[in-house]
Amino acid sequence: MSVRLADWLRRPNRLWGASIAAKLVLGYGLLGTMSIAVVSVVFYTGTIGVLDQNLDGKIVAQAQRLLKRASVTGHADLIEEVRRQLADGIDSDREIFQLLDSEGNTLAGNLGSWPQADGETETNPRAQMLSADVVRDGHLKPARLYLRPLAGGGMLIVGRDLSEQEAVRTLIWDALLAGAGVSLLLTVAGALLFRRTIENKLGEIRGTAARIEAGDLSHRIAISGDDEFARLNRDINRMLDRIELLMEGIRHVSNAIAHDLRTPLSRIRSRLDDALRHEPSVERLSGASHDAIDDIDDLIRLFERLLQIAEVESGMRTRMFERLDLGRVVADIGEMYEASAEDDNITLTVDAPASLYVDGDRNLLASAIASLLENAFKYAGPGSVVRVRAGLHHGMASIAVIDNGPGIPPEELDKVTQRFYRLDKSRHLPGNGLGLSIVAATATSHGGRLALEDNAPGLVARLVLPQAGS
């Protein structure tokens, strides 16, 4: 039995310690209870408290009027006035008057018993306001009394029967307790409903996380309404879309790397094996070694480009940004590729106005422009026209490489910037599908983007960057 009790006591501790919803319920419950207590105190003070103050004021004022009459005409008229007050029938069931002589004997009044005053002396009479039970009409009743010693001896007692006021006080307390109970129940019910709502919302998120952890990356959180949880769910779903896209990219990259590595490695092995199978000679071994070195150099360049993409995406190069004249960078790259274009029978024109400033890494931007030109030369082919333009595009700095070659099918435009994605599925053309990936990563690291558009015929590859200071 003691083990069960200990387990039962530990269970709430685990519940309240682990659940933020439970903590919110407890917090709102305490806040609601405190609010009800404060409202009750304010309401009680504003009703019974005010009534008590008004009653004390009326009692003292009435006693002062009687004492003023006595100071003019003497005790005899005071006795007659007390008797007249008791006989006039106005509030006679609530008014209390008692006039005593110096020996404590009753001269006039309607009390059978009354409390004794404390602290007054003959030379220093002191008035008192107190609440006490008195005997009136043979019954013990609560009363509010003002005891006023008289000069020369005696005492005047003026008061009010509190029976009705006590009934009102009891009624108000009952109403406050009932209202507090109902309010507390509603507060607890609302807090529990709030807790259940939060747990349901969080349960959907946790369920989605569990399914994704199990490998189902396609699952998403259901969205309803436009509250904070709905906006959070949208953000999480967008994050999951991005993660799924990245995971798909990783799978694609893994397959592409395996394919791109297998071919040169197989070729290296085949050549070395062929050299060993035949009679060894310096010429044969030298040729096999050179061919193997060339293939290994291709693999090294492949990994260098992958490392370049990782470096750009990590943001490490942003610390090397400086103010650049983009037109000058484009002009330099265009001049460098003029000979290559002429050798390939390609017409290259460069339009690069000066004073087009951006903040960036000169080497990265130059490498990106060179990659776009190399792609244009490779896919447009001999006899084509390639134009390079630098200028403004919708308020941003732009470098556009335009060719009149075969272009890219519209359904492939969003895919060609993926790593190792190649339009040449058979991989007969040289390359590894990383050129546009590096350009896109460079544009993103500079706060811009790479836009690919159909030139009909040909392709427009536009590198859009924010202007310096914008």
Side-chain angles (χ1 to χ4, degrees):
M1 181 68 178
S2 60
V3 176
R4 291 182 179 179
L5 178 60
D7 183 67
W8 183 84
L9 290 173
R10 285 194 300 269
R11 192 177 306 160
N13 293 333
R14 291 197 300 267
L15 174 64
W16 295 108
S19 173
I20 187 173
K23 292 178 181 178
L24 288 173
V25 169
L26 179 61
Y28 278 115
L30 292 176
L31 181 61
T33 302
M34 293 175 60
S35 300
I36 293 169
V38 171
V39 171
S40 299
V41 169
V42 171
F43 180 77
Y44 183 82
T45 303
T47 53
I48 298 300
V50 172
L51 290 177
D52 288 342
Q53 292 178 1
N54 291 339
L55 180 62
D56 289 351
K58 290 180 180 179
I59 292 174
V60 172
Q62 195 168 27
Q64 293 295 338
R65 286 196 298 269
L66 291 175
L67 291 173
K68 185 176 182 180
R69 180 182 294 272
S71 65
V72 176
T73 59
H75 280 43
D77 286 343
L78 180 58
I79 294 173
E80 291 299 324
E81 182 63 22
V82 168
R83 289 174 178 171
R84 189 185 67 78
Q85 291 285 344
L86 293 174
D88 64 5
I90 301 175
D91 281 343
S92 58
D93 58 337
R94 297 176 58 196
E95 289 183 336
I96 294 175
F97 294 99
Q98 193 77 5
L99 184 60
L100 307 176
D101 60 15
S102 58
E103 301 296 329
N105 298 317
T106 300
L107 300 177
N110 58 353
L111 292 180
S113 69
W114 54 88
Q116 299 296 319
D118 298 327
E120 76 277 3
T121 64
E122 185 174 351
T123 59
N124 183 29
R126 183 169 62 86
Q128 298 182 36
M129 180 69 72
L130 53 85
S131 297
D133 291 332
V134 298
V135 175
R136 183 168 175 265
D137 298 331
H139 300 285
L140 188 66
K141 296 183 179 181
R144 185 68 171 169
L145 303 175
Y146 178 63
L147 282 63
R148 181 67 167 83
L150 301 175
M155 178 179 293
L156 173 65
I157 301 176
V158 180
R160 288 293 182 96
D161 189 330
L162 296 180
S163 297
E164 292 184 4
Q165 194 159 337
E166 287 296 324
V168 173
R169 190 190 306 269
T170 301
L171 179 63
I172 291 177
W173 268 115
D174 292 343
L176 287 176
L177 291 176
V182 173
S183 299
L184 185 60
L185 288 176
L186 291 176
T187 300
V188 172
L192 292 175
L193 179 62
F194 177 67
R195 175 191 173 186
R196 182 177 179 181
T197 302
I198 290 182
E199 288 182 340
N200 290 339
K201 296 289 187 180
L202 296 179
E204 295 178 2
I205 298 175
R206 294 185 62 198
T208 300
R211 295 185 64 173
I212 290 174
E213 183 181 5
D216 182 10
L217 294 178
S218 63
H219 189 69
R220 296 293 181 269
I221 307 172
I223 299 175
S224 60
D226 192 32
D227 56 11
E228 288 79 0
F229 277 104
R231 292 192 288 272
L232 174 63
N233 292 344
R234 289 192 187 94
D235 293 340
I236 293 176
N237 286 342
R238 282 196 296 269
M239 178 188 69
L240 294 176
D241 291 339
R242 179 62 176 166
I243 291 175
E244 184 179 17
L245 179 63
L246 292 175
M247 292 299 295
E248 184 64 28
I250 290 174
R251 283 193 289 267
H252 172 71
V253 167
S254 300
N255 294 334
I257 289 178
H259 189 281
D260 285 350
L261 290 182
R262 182 178 61 184
T263 300
L265 289 175
S266 298
R267 189 163 54 246
I268 293 171
R269 186 187 185 285
S270 176
R271 289 172 178 172
L272 294 176
D273 183 66
D274 182 68
L276 292 175
R277 286 178 181 273
H278 296 83
E279 185 69 23
S281 64
V282 175
E283 182 180 354
R284 183 180 297 277
L285 293 177
S286 177
S289 298
H290 282 94
D291 291 339
I293 290 174
D294 290 340
D295 288 335
I296 292 173
D297 287 340
D298 290 338
L299 294 178
I300 291 174
R301 282 191 290 270
L302 170 64
F303 286 111
E304 285 178 347
R305 305 205 79 178
L306 287 173
L307 290 174
Q308 183 181 359
I309 293 175
E311 183 182 10
V312 171
E313 290 181 341
S314 68
M316 296 174 58
R317 300 289 291 267
T318 57
R319 288 173 289 184
M320 303 172 61
F321 281 9
E322 58 181 347
R323 186 66 50 87
L324 300 173
D325 186 346
L326 194 59
R328 173 58 59 186
V329 176
V330 172
D332 291 343
I333 298 299
E335 183 179 352
M336 186 173 63
Y337 274 85
E338 283 181 355
S340 178
E342 185 176 350
D343 291 342
D344 293 338
N345 192 26
I346 294 174
T347 302
L348 175 63
T349 60
V350 179
D351 181 11
S355 303
L356 181 61
Y357 293 102
V358 298
D359 292 324
D361 186 309
R362 181 183 183 86
N363 293 331
L364 286 180
L365 293 175
S367 177
I369 299 169
S371 293
L372 294 179
L373 279 173
E374 290 175 359
N375 271 358
F377 290 175
K378 180 169 66 175
Y379 289 103
S384 60
V385 176
V386 177
R387 291 173 293 168
V388 183
R389 290 180 180 174
L392 294 178
H393 181 73
H394 299 301
M396 299 185 71
S398 167
I399 306 167
V401 177
I402 308 167
D403 65 68
N404 61 349
I408 299 176
E411 64 274 9
E412 302 283 348
L413 288 175
D414 293 334
K415 301 177 182 179
V416 292
T417 55
Q418 298 176 9
R419 299 177 194 179
F420 294 103
Y421 190 88
R422 298 175 63 179
L423 293 176
D424 177 26
K425 305 299 183 182
S426 62
R427 301 179 185 265
H428 289 154
L429 293 176
N432 46 40
L434 293 176
L436 291 180
S437 299
I438 295 176
V439 177
T442 300
T444 302
S445 68
H446 285 74
R449 59 187 176 87
L450 173 62
L452 301 177
E453 306 166 5
D454 186 11
N455 192 39
L459 179 70
V460 178
R462 192 186 307 277
L463 187 62
V464 182
L465 304 172
Q467 294 187 73
S470 62

